[in-house]
Amino acid sequence: MPAPTRRILSVWFPRLGAERLLRAQGGDDGRPFAVVRETGNLQLLASLSSGASAAGLSPGQPLRDARAMCPELITRLQNPQREAAFLAVLRRWAGKYSPWVAEAPPDALLIDISGCAHLFGGETPLLETLSADCARLGLTHLAGIADTAGAAWALARYAGRGVAHHRSGDAVDAEAPATRSRAARRHWVKGGAAPKAPHSATPPARIAPPGQTRGAIAPLPVAALRLDAGTLEQLARLGLRRVEDLLNQPRAPLARRFGRQLALRVDQALGHVPEPVSPARTDRPDAVRMTLPEPIGLESDILAGLDRLLDRLCATLEGKGTGIRTARLQVYRTDGSMQWIEAGLARPSFDPDRVRPLLAMKVPEIDAGFGIDMLRLEAVQVEPVHRTQTRGHLAAGQAVTDRMAGDHALDDLVARIGGRVGMEAVTRLHPASSNIPEKGSIVMAAAWSDPARDWPRPPVKRPLLLWRPEPVMAPDSPALPEAFRWRRRDLHTRAARGPERIAPEWWLDDPDWRTGVRDYWRVTVEGGERLWLYYAHGGLMSSGWFCHGRFA
């Protein structure tokens, strides 16, 4: 029995940012409205209402140009976090069509409707139900159904759209008359205007029948393959403007000229390369919030709200047996924008007194603006925390008990310093399994490692300071010299202990160990300075004496 055909529904909300704000204001009243994003020192239109689009504005247009075209334009600053949260709400809402729903940021959903369409009477009635639901929600949407996610994405955005030309009319007029004559005969092959499709009252087909993905996406523009702007520009210059133009070309030359990305996108659209729909986890976040009756702006007010939120959050986590590893405080301003601060702990904990100082340290970074009307505290990363430990061997059980009952001052210090310079910048040394002196320890992040309690003792004493081997002027002989020159100083040996022979790690090619086996000596020179000298017996590099460190 053949396996059932996989069917993917792509839902695109082209006005998501603008319609999210319009819904909060009671609906679209027809006036031009736009959401603006800041890119460096430039403000660009990110999302438009239907009235703004009717006024001739387009996404990506500079705000100054939009103001010149439409002086009555109303704008609001973009809030990417709230738009992402709204898309997550739509993902949960779309669970009525299928349990397998994934977000396609920033403004789309992917729904695997395999085996679900018959519950609505078929795929066409399902799209009709989706359109009615989106109309009640005040959301503009475009949808497409195909066997693959890439094809559904293409049908949702480009079904029924003409092929755009990459050259301007001025560029075409600048060509020679003979070239323009040939372009008129050959339509767009030499840069002329694309031939206009005959007008049809039939709505665009946004449903690709099972097994007919290739024919459904063939007439679409190449932008439907999710290619970058540079690749689209090059394809247009070659006259490859529809998907069918690419499908009819040899694969190898296209891959050599445009890279593997173009071939990958074509294979994903046709189903030759799998592109699974990965739904988001349904776990509820560990978070609490507080809505304020009046806007606040003082640091003391924010800290007071933090105290109330932190007690509730820590009590919830304690009941779950988990502790905060990373905490995030979000402040929502009255103008609809949001700012957040984040703090990490060296050890997970549900003790409010250990989390509060780390967040309070960053509260001065918050810009209250015209006022803050809501606070939200979330445990972004949590880890299990146990009050009691299972005991095995008596010594092991006692060690664990002593650690659990110990002081957390060091962990708190690591968290405080890490809050300012970054958790990865606070490190500690741990013993390593190597006989090479400079490899006797490894550097680990203090927040994600335990203190090393039992360091293995070396066979002989090691120096306090180590550096890269420095040449010593002395006779090339294994016998310890009575006098030698190092760092422009003439030194005389007064006492010495050794030798200690250390062989290199033969399975590694370490440039510092290409001089072969070493014989180390602890040498005391005139003046009391104790040096760590060694004689290299030679290998890939010549033999000789070197200084590797100094004792305290």
Side-chain angles (χ1 to χ4, degrees):
M1 182 177 180
T5 304
R6 183 165 172 258
R7 302 293 285 169
I8 304 298
L9 167 62
S10 175
V11 185
W12 177 38
F13 303 97
R15 308 183 191 278
L16 181 70
E19 291 178 341
R20 179 188 70 84
L21 295 174
L22 291 175
R23 278 167 44 87
Q25 298 175 4
D28 189 358
D29 56 5
R31 292 182 297 174
F33 179 85
V35 177
V36 178
R37 73 170 184 270
E38 294 183 351
T39 305
N41 296 327
L42 188 64
Q43 290 185 323
L44 304 177
L45 302 186
S47 181
L48 306 176
S49 67
S50 57
S53 298
L57 307 182
S58 59
Q61 185 178 12
L63 179 59
R64 60 174 181 270
D65 297 344
R67 292 285 190 191
M69 295 176 57
C70 182
E72 64 275 12
L73 178 66
I74 303 173
T75 61
R76 292 291 184 272
L77 190 63
Q78 186 182 34
N79 189 330
Q81 293 85 1
R82 283 203 171 183
E83 290 184 5
F86 184 57
L87 185 62
V89 172
L90 293 177
R91 171 182 56 80
R92 294 193 293 270
W93 162 79
K96 62 185 295 185
Y97 305 106
S98 171
W100 213 253
V101 185
E103 299 174 23
D107 52 7
L109 298 174
L110 282 177
I111 308 174
D112 191 336
I113 59 172
S114 304
C116 299
H118 70 280
L119 301 176
F120 299 85
E123 294 178 350
T124 300
L126 188 150
L127 289 185
E128 294 174 355
T129 303
L130 175 65
S131 299
D133 292 343
C134 289
R136 283 193 297 269
L137 295 175
L139 297 176
T140 301
H141 83 289
L142 293 173
I145 299 178
D147 294 342
T148 64
W153 188 95
L155 291 173
R157 287 162 173 77
Y158 292 96
R161 292 178 54 178
V163 177
H165 198 277
H166 81 289
R167 305 181 67 183
S168 65
D170 295 336
V172 176
D173 291 339
E175 294 179 342
T179 303
R180 293 201 303 272
S181 176
R182 291 194 301 269
R185 293 193 301 269
R186 300 180 185 179
H187 300 295
W188 58 35
V189 174
K190 292 296 184 179
K196 296 182 179 180
H199 177 73
S200 174
T202 305
R206 300 187 183 274
I207 300 179
Q212 300 184 24
T213 300
R214 184 185 183 97
I217 66 173
L220 301 181
V222 291
L225 294 176
R226 299 174 290 178
L227 302 175
D228 59 87
T231 303
L232 294 176
E233 177 78 14
Q234 297 179 46
L235 291 173
R237 291 183 181 277
L238 294 176
L240 303 174
R241 294 182 174 85
R242 296 189 185 275
V243 175
E244 60 184 349
D245 299 336
L246 293 177
L247 300 180
N248 296 329
Q249 297 294 325
R251 177 64 60 88
L254 288 178
R256 285 196 300 268
R257 178 157 188 168
F258 301 101
R260 298 178 57 185
Q261 187 68 15
L262 175 60
L264 175 63
R265 289 304 193 189
V266 172
D267 290 340
Q268 287 178 337
L270 296 178
H272 299 160
V273 174
E275 190 175 5
V277 176
S278 302
R281 296 177 57 183
T282 57
D283 297 343
R284 296 185 60 185
D286 295 312
V288 291
R289 69 176 182 177
M290 176 188 299
T291 303
L292 305 171
E294 294 291 339
I296 62 174
L298 300 178
E299 291 184 16
S300 58
D301 295 336
I302 298 176
L303 292 175
L306 173 62
D307 291 338
R308 298 180 62 179
L309 293 175
L310 196 55
D311 290 338
R312 292 163 49 193
L313 180 60
C314 289
T316 302
L317 295 178
E318 183 178 4
K320 295 182 177 180
T322 58
I324 299 175
R325 193 61 187 265
T326 304
R328 178 182 298 166
L329 176 64
Q330 299 172 328
V331 296
Y332 293 85
R333 307 185 185 97
T334 55
D335 60 356
S337 59
M338 187 271 286
Q339 182 182 356
W340 54 269
I341 57 175
E342 195 172 81
L345 281 76
R347 292 289 181 274
S349 174
F350 47 70
D351 185 0
D353 294 332
R354 297 186 60 194
V355 182
R356 185 187 186 278
L358 305 177
L359 289 172
M361 183 172 58
K362 296 187 176 182
V363 167
E365 302 175 6
I366 296 177
D367 180 12
F370 294 102
I372 298 170
D373 57 6
M374 189 176 76
L375 300 175
R376 184 177 185 270
L377 181 63
E378 179 181 2
V380 179
Q381 183 181 4
V382 297
E383 293 182 4
V385 175
H386 306 286
R387 288 189 175 274
T388 58
Q389 298 286 338
T390 303
R391 297 191 181 188
H393 189 270
L394 180 60
Q398 185 62 38
V400 172
T401 302
D402 294 342
R403 178 185 172 189
M404 296 300 295
D407 190 10
H408 297 287
L410 179 60
D411 294 340
D412 294 341
L413 177 63
V414 171
R416 282 177 173 269
I417 298 176
R420 294 186 178 274
V421 301
M423 283 295 186
E424 293 79 7
V426 185
T427 60
R428 58 163 58 103
L429 295 179
H430 274 246
S433 178
S434 177
N435 67 316
I436 305 300
E438 57 267 31
K439 297 181 180 179
S441 62
I442 57 176
V443 179
M444 302 182 68
W448 290 277
S449 61
D450 296 327
R453 300 184 182 276
D454 297 323
W455 280 79
R457 292 184 175 275
V460 295
K461 190 176 181 181
R462 291 284 186 259
L464 180 64
L465 298 177
L466 280 178
W467 48 70
R468 294 194 64 179
E470 298 178 358
V472 172
M473 298 180 61
D476 189 0
S477 171
L480 183 67
E482 296 183 357
F484 56 91
R485 184 175 179 81
W486 174 65
R487 290 186 178 179
R488 301 182 181 181
R489 294 188 296 164
D490 293 322
L491 303 175
H492 297 272
T493 303
R494 287 293 175 259
R497 296 186 63 178
E500 176 194 1
R501 175 159 292 187
I502 300 179
E505 298 171 332
W506 55 267
W507 58 91
L508 297 176
D509 182 19
D510 190 339
D512 291 338
W513 282 81
R514 291 176 179 173
T515 53
V517 178
R518 301 176 180 179
D519 288 338
Y520 279 88
W521 294 80
R522 286 182 287 170
V523 179
T524 303
V525 299
E526 290 181 346
E529 189 176 11
R530 294 191 299 166
L531 303 176
W532 206 33
L533 305 183
Y534 71 85
Y535 178 77
H537 288 266
L540 295 178
M541 299 178 65
S542 59
S543 59
W545 283 92
F546 296 85
C547 182
H548 199 182
R550 179 169 55 197
F551 293 87

